[in-house]
């Protein structure tokens, strides 16, 4: 029962003070040595790169997924990834879209660095390792273990800037909990088949933007945003609405590229055909926008970019959002 640990820096690995605050300095060996009870789980520690999660790129996460497959092929029970929480929800979802193995890939991190009273990194790392080692966690894809809760990557969101309970799954709730060291799964959502691998150069060249609609927004902003884009995600009001002046502009863009309609609320679904006014979800779908369903705008952007990098046309994009959203 070996668990592979890949470390990517972030708050969980911060110690000491640089010129502008705490900086990443702890290695995987440092992290594991500070966790009571972790010695009971054999770990294969692999330090990848200690960077803030804001500095991560899609290619690094996809390379990590490929690298994480090696210990699984050698018999590891599961894999844990530590990284900063700023982009963890996006990294974990990206990994989930391509992770092909039954073994769990578990992301975790920390909100309080080790220089503060009550750092949460050690407890989160221990919980993640227990989840990665648990037979019950197999066939669930990529997971997020935080604050003794277990979340599916496709549902997890960072909901608070400082709280140690920041990760939640507003649309589904946690899949389970770690209780007295035991992994307890309460529900098992079905997995989606992984997307095919994408070429790294094509991924780097694929440009997808996100525009969040606001009160009295200016559609002319889209003109400055969209040149050279391959796709666009629009985070609309509520169930998928935009100001009426936006509707024609978005329709024109949807004729040139996939435009996905998500909700800026962070929970709930974009509807299909409840409202009918100009700028409503019904109107926008009629103009060619793809319904994002339950996917929040950040995850919609991840999925759209990966699909377009893989050569998906508009019909394939719509079908994928029907499955994942």
């Amino acid at each position: 029962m070996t668990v592979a640990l890949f470390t990517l820096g972030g708050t969980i690995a911060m110690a000491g003070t640089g010129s502008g605050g705490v900086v990443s300095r702890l290695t995987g060996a440092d992290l594991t040595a500070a966790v009571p009870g972790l010695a009971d789980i054999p770990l294969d520690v692999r330090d990848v790169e200690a960077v803030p999660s804001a500095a991560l790129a899609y290619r690094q996460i996809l390379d990590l997924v490929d690298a994480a497959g090696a210990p699984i092929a050698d018999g590891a029970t599961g894999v844990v990834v530590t990284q900063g929480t700023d982009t963890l929800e996006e990294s974990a979802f990206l990994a989930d879209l391509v992770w092909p193995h039954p073994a769990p890939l578990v992301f975790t991190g920390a909100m309080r660095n080790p220089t503060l009273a009550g750092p949460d990194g050690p407890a989160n790392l221990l919980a993640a390792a227990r989840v990665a080692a648990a037979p019950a966690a197999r066939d669930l894809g990529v997971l997020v273990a935080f604050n003794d809760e277990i979340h599916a990557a496709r549902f997890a969101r960072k909901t608070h800037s400082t709280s140690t309970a920041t990760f939640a799954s507003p649309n589904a709730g946690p899949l389970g909990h770690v209780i007295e060291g035991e992994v307890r799964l309460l529900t098992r959502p079905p997995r989606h088949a992984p997307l095919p691998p994408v070429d790294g150069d094509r991924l780097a060249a694929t440009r997808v933007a996100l525009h969040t609609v606001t009160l009295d927004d200016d559609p002319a902003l889209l003109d400055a945003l969209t040149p050279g884009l391959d796709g666009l995600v629009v985070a609309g009001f509520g169930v998928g609405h935009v100001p009426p002046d936006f509707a024609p502009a978005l329709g024109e863009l949807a004729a040139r590229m996939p435009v996905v309609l998500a909700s800026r609320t962070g929970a709930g679904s974009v509807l299909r055909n409840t409202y009918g006014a100009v700028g409503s979800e019904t109107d926008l779908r009629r103009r060619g926008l793809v319904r994002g369903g339950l996917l929040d705008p950040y995850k919609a952007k991840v999925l759209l970019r990966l699909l377009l990098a893989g050569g998906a046309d508009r019909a394939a994009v719509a079908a994928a959002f029907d499955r994942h959203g």
Side-chain angles (χ1 to χ4, degrees):
M1 182 190 70
T2 299
V3 170
L5 170 63
F6 289 77
T7 66
L8 285 173
T11 296
I12 193 171
M14 288 182 173
T17 303
S19 59
V22 290
V23 293
S24 293
R25 287 183 177 160
L26 300 180
T27 65
D30 296 329
L31 289 176
T32 57
V35 183
L38 193 57
D40 296 337
I41 303 174
L43 290 177
D44 174 12
V45 180
R46 308 184 185 202
D47 292 314
V48 181
E49 186 175 8
V51 295
S53 64
L56 293 173
Y58 281 45
R59 186 71 266 167
Q60 289 168 283
I61 301 302
L62 295 178
D63 287 346
L64 183 145
V65 169
D66 289 341
I72 297 300
D74 291 338
T77 308
V79 178
V80 172
V81 176
T82 60
Q83 72 156 80
T85 61
D86 283 349
T87 62
L88 191 150
E89 63 189 283
E90 292 160 275
S91 298
F93 181 61
L94 174 59
D96 188 51
L97 289 173
V98 297
W99 180 247
H101 306 285
L105 175 60
V106 187
F107 279 69
T108 194
M111 295 299 291
R112 290 181 184 155
N113 71 74
T115 70
L116 300 176
D120 56 327
N124 288 338
L125 180 54
L126 179 59
R130 283 172 168 161
V131 173
R138 291 180 64 83
D139 296 308
L140 288 173
V142 177
L143 303 169
V144 174
F146 223 91
N147 200 39
D148 281 339
E149 293 185 337
I150 305 163
H151 297 269
R154 68 181 188 265
F155 300 138
R157 291 205 64 178
K158 185 174 182 178
T159 64
H160 195 282
S161 63
T162 59
S163 172
T164 56
T166 182
F167 282 96
S169 296
N171 286 320
L175 302 187
H177 305 266
V178 180
I179 303 171
E180 294 184 320
E182 180 184 357
V183 175
R184 296 286 303 276
L185 272 299
L186 307 178
T187 185
R188 301 186 65 85
R191 287 187 68 181
H192 296 299
L195 297 180
V198 298
D199 176 76
D201 291 339
R202 186 163 184 173
L203 179 66
T206 301
R207 300 182 63 214
V208 174
L210 166 62
H211 179 81
T212 300
V213 176
T214 58
L215 179 67
D216 198 23
D217 211 343
D218 182 0
L221 295 173
L222 296 174
D223 296 333
L225 180 68
T226 54
L229 285 184
D230 300 293
L232 175 67
V233 175
V234 177
F237 302 123
V239 298
H241 297 167
V242 301
D245 289 349
F246 264 73
L250 290 174
E252 292 176 7
L253 289 173
R256 297 172 10 217
M257 69 180 78
V259 179
V260 175
L261 178 65
S263 172
R264 70 176 198 172
T265 61
S269 178
V270 168
L271 296 182
R272 295 181 184 273
N273 51 17
T274 296
Y275 297 92
V278 175
S280 69
E281 79 285 355
T282 304
D283 176 54
L284 295 174
R285 290 181 65 238
R286 189 183 301 118
R287 294 175 190 268
L289 274 69
V290 175
R291 175 177 170 267
L294 285 164
L295 287 181
D296 64 64
Y298 313 115
K299 291 184 176 65
K301 184 174 182 285
V302 171
L303 177 57
L304 181 58
R305 185 176 174 193
L306 208 58
L307 290 169
L308 295 178
D313 59 16
R314 189 192 177 285
V317 167
F321 273 89
D322 279 344
R323 289 193 302 273
H324 292 273

